[in-house]
Amino acid sequence: MAQGARRTIGQVTGVVGLAVAVTAFLSVAAVRHGFFDLKVYYGALTWWVHDGGEIYDFLKPGTQYGFTYPPFAALVMLPMAYLPWTAAIAVSVAASVVVTAVLFWWLVDPISRRCGWTRWFALAVALCLAAAYEPMRETVNFGQVNMLLLFLVAIDLLWLLPAGSRWAGVGIGLATAIKLTPGIFIVYLLVTRRWRAAVTSMAAAAGTTLLAAALFPDASREFWTEALWNTGRVGELAFVSNQSLRGVVARLNPEHPSTLAWLALVFATLALWAWRSRAAVAAGDEATGLALTGAVMCLVSPVTWVHHLVWLLPALILLVDNGMAAPAGSRRRRVLLGAAIVGYGFLISRIVWAWEKDFTGLDGFLGSNTYVWISLALLAFLPIRRWGDGSRLSRRRAEPVGSAVETAGVPQLDQPDRRSPAGQRHRIGRALTVR
């Protein structure tokens, strides 16, 4: 048998074995939520379209949960009101799977190229591992929109912005209009001084919001004046699923959480993020800018449920990428790959739920906030690399220049003069997704 055929058989066998192992793991570890959030969306839209009610007045029977997204999200989801429930589930699951596969193709392909792995094999392994990742399985099982928003943002930061496209920022604007928290990426563009993309993203967010207001004036008025400020609709801040800095503070004193302490932590975290983000952009490392901003969004948002932590996926993949880029057998490779394995291991384990009922004491403080500590570690220590020129985005194999990777800053290396033709190619050609 030819060597290529043996390799293919081995890879297929490995993927099938991994898929079986993940399925067995999920049969034991995964919690079934019955598409709870999707039921809220579906019920609210049905109530609004077919029953003549106001969308923000709807509460899922027996719960305090209602539609919490801006009116533009209702516009985007409107076709759901005309679908059977099973079709709505199918569309939700299929959309999450498809955008995840595409995003992983962009982020994992550099690893497969560098290591000489077959691309389909690397992608299949990554998707199997993602299925076991608690935030991912929660996103699918709740019927959440997290991966769709991450995909919109990634189009901007991994493709349009590095290519100098005039459309860069539209994806971020649309994501912000659908759910307000991705607005942190507009701040990212401002902090890193990409003024045109920042203006484009703000214009896209404002334009789509005004469109929704023109079409649904009553719903828009209720959202912006009442529903947005009704924090009781999203759940308890101290609930262990809230893996944000606000959740950490709330669990210290559930009855009277300190707003001052939370704001101080947020300010310090944003300062660290701004410094590291600017270093990443100075190095041309847009993928790490995406990863850092996803991590800080999870940290500073008042509510970050476990399923929101799919925004950490780019950081974990880049941690593996940086580890594989280090010399074989080096301490650096061992540390980075070890960190990726440990972080991933905790994020599939449901460890925080061990303190769901009682998060007091030192063990409760450390254990119930495990995912927060991982987010902080990724924000502080995810490596930043400087990349060289490339001609085509889809075929880039940018190589690290000079010394290796800086964790907090970037090495001072020469770059082409931005005024020269080579400098222009360098500026437009920097893209980190395929290298």
Side-chain angles (χ1 to χ4, degrees):
M1 183 181 295
Q3 182 178 357
R6 288 197 299 270
R7 181 186 187 191
T8 300
I9 292 174
Q11 289 176 337
V12 171
T13 303
V15 170
V16 171
L18 179 59
V20 170
V22 169
T23 301
F25 172 77
L26 293 178
S27 69
V28 176
V31 176
R32 306 295 187 268
H33 299 291
F35 300 99
F36 182 94
D37 289 358
L38 189 64
K39 285 180 180 177
V40 174
Y41 311 151
Y42 189 83
L45 289 164
T46 301
W47 163 265
W48 188 35
V49 173
H50 299 297
D51 299 332
E54 177 53 62
I55 189 169
Y56 294 108
D57 292 338
F58 174 85
L59 293 178
K60 187 177 183 297
T63 75
Q64 62 183 2
Y65 297 105
F67 195 85
T68 57
Y69 294 166
F72 180 68
L75 176 62
V76 172
M77 296 181 186
L78 194 58
M80 189 190 304
Y82 300 95
L83 294 177
W85 170 239
T86 52
I89 293 175
V91 170
S92 172
V93 173
S96 290
V97 170
V98 168
V99 298
T100 300
V102 175
L103 179 64
F104 276 28
W105 179 264
W106 295 343
L107 293 173
V108 174
D109 187 60
I111 304 175
S112 65
R113 283 171 172 267
R114 184 180 298 109
C115 299
W117 299 341
T118 306
R119 291 180 177 181
W120 73 263
F121 174 71
L123 178 62
V125 169
L127 290 174
C128 286
L129 295 176
Y133 184 68
E134 184 181 357
M136 176 64 77
R137 64 188 193 235
E138 296 276 286
T139 285
V140 173
N141 222 302
F142 272 118
Q144 265 283 345
V145 299
N146 304 309
M147 288 307 301
L148 302 175
L149 301 178
L150 175 53
F151 180 71
L152 285 174
V153 171
I155 291 174
D156 268 347
L157 297 189
L158 301 182
W159 290 94
L160 299 182
L161 195 61
S165 171
R166 69 180 64 184
W167 297 103
V170 170
I172 291 171
L174 292 175
T176 302
I178 292 171
K179 187 175 183 179
L180 299 179
T181 47
I184 187 69
F185 285 92
I186 299 178
V187 182
Y188 166 73
L189 294 175
L190 294 171
V191 165
T192 55
R193 300 178 182 177
R194 268 77 67 81
W195 310 118
R196 186 175 70 177
V199 170
T200 300
S201 63
M202 288 187 282
T208 49
T209 299
L210 290 174
L211 172 63
L215 295 174
F216 316 123
D218 292 339
S220 295
R221 181 170 53 253
E222 182 167 356
F223 175 78
W224 295 108
T225 61
E226 295 183 27
L228 176 62
W229 314 104
N230 184 2
T231 57
R233 295 165 64 93
V234 298
E236 297 295 327
L237 292 175
F239 184 39
V240 75
S241 183
N242 184 13
Q243 291 293 303
S244 68
L245 294 172
R246 185 64 160 156
V248 173
V249 172
R251 282 186 285 277
L252 289 174
N253 187 351
E255 296 299 323
H256 303 287
S258 172
T259 300
L260 183 61
W262 172 58
L263 291 176
L265 289 172
V266 166
F267 178 81
T269 303
L270 287 174
L272 173 62
W273 162 73
W275 174 48
R276 300 216 68 219
S277 294
R278 293 189 66 173
V281 170
D285 197 346
E286 294 288 358
T288 297
L290 165 65
L292 294 174
T293 308
V296 83
M297 183 181 73
C298 294
L299 288 166
V300 304
S301 174
V303 176
T304 297
W305 302 133
V306 168
H307 56 78
H308 294 148
L309 296 175
V310 294
W311 289 91
L312 298 184
L313 280 170
L316 291 172
I317 294 173
L318 290 175
L319 203 56
V320 174
D321 191 4
N322 279 281
M324 296 306 296
S330 66
R331 180 176 180 272
R332 178 178 186 77
R333 174 175 283 200
R334 292 194 300 271
V335 168
L336 290 176
L337 294 182
I341 292 170
V342 170
Y344 174 79
F346 277 122
L347 283 162
I348 69 171
S349 68
R350 287 184 54 83
I351 188 172
V352 298
W353 298 99
W355 290 272
E356 180 180 4
K357 303 298 182 182
D358 182 9
F359 36 73
T360 58
L362 180 60
D363 67 310
F365 174 72
L366 295 175
S368 68
N369 300 308
T370 299
Y371 300 165
V372 179
W373 311 141
I374 294 173
S375 297
L376 283 169
L378 290 171
L379 176 63
F381 301 113
L382 182 67
I384 295 170
R385 284 187 286 179
R386 183 182 297 279
W387 299 95
D389 290 352
S391 57
R392 292 188 61 181
L393 183 63
S394 60
R395 296 185 179 181
R396 177 164 279 75
R397 284 176 174 268
E399 299 294 337
V401 179
S403 63
V405 184
E406 297 290 329
T407 55
V410 293
Q412 299 301 313
L413 302 173
D414 293 334
Q415 296 191 70
D417 186 343
R418 292 180 181 268
R419 296 168 295 181
S420 69
Q424 291 297 318
R425 289 194 301 273
H426 179 82
R427 179 177 63 82
I428 295 173
R430 293 184 303 182
L432 276 278
T433 53
V434 182
R435 39 192 185 266

